[in-house]
């Protein structure tokens, strides 16, 4: 099954994790996270491993069909409740 960057976006939105926060958690540059999230991206296994670990999910989640992110702005800080 092909890699689906929208599965990462959906998980980030669900957990209210921004690109900058994910970059900090993974030790990757924010630009690298953006590249991994781009349509047609082909990130390395190591990058996906770091992202999965930072989000507390299995890497397999990034290859399974999922509902797409609903446009939640992952670059902005989460709204205060």
């Amino acid at each position: 099954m092909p890699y689906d960057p929208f599965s990462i976006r959906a998980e980030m939105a669900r957990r209210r994790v921004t690109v900058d926060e994910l970059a900090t958690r993974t030790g990757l540059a924010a630009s690298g996270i953006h590249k991994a999230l781009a349509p047609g991206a082909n990130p390395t296994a190591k990058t996906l491993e770091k992202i999965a670990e930072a989000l507390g999910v299995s890497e397999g989640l990034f290859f399974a069909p999922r509902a797409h992110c609903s446009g939640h702005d992952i670059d902005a800080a989460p709204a205060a409740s």
Side-chain angles (χ1 to χ4, degrees):
M1 190 170 291
Y3 163 68
D4 178 14
F6 293 105
S7 60
I8 295 175
R9 287 186 177 275
E11 194 61 32
M12 289 173 66
R14 191 174 81 75
R15 295 174 182 269
R16 295 184 171 205
V17 174
T18 66
V19 168
D20 288 337
E21 185 176 353
L22 187 58
T24 299
R25 289 182 185 188
T26 60
L28 300 169
S31 62
I33 300 294
H34 280 289
K35 286 179 184 176
L37 297 176
N42 189 21
T44 66
K46 189 66 174 172
T47 295
L48 292 177
E49 179 183 319
K50 288 180 178 185
I51 292 172
E53 185 176 320
L55 292 174
V57 298
S58 165
E59 292 169 58
L61 178 72
F62 305 151
F63 296 91
R66 297 263 317 224
H68 288 255
C69 186
S70 63
H72 179 78
D73 186 359
I74 60 172
D75 292 322
S81 299

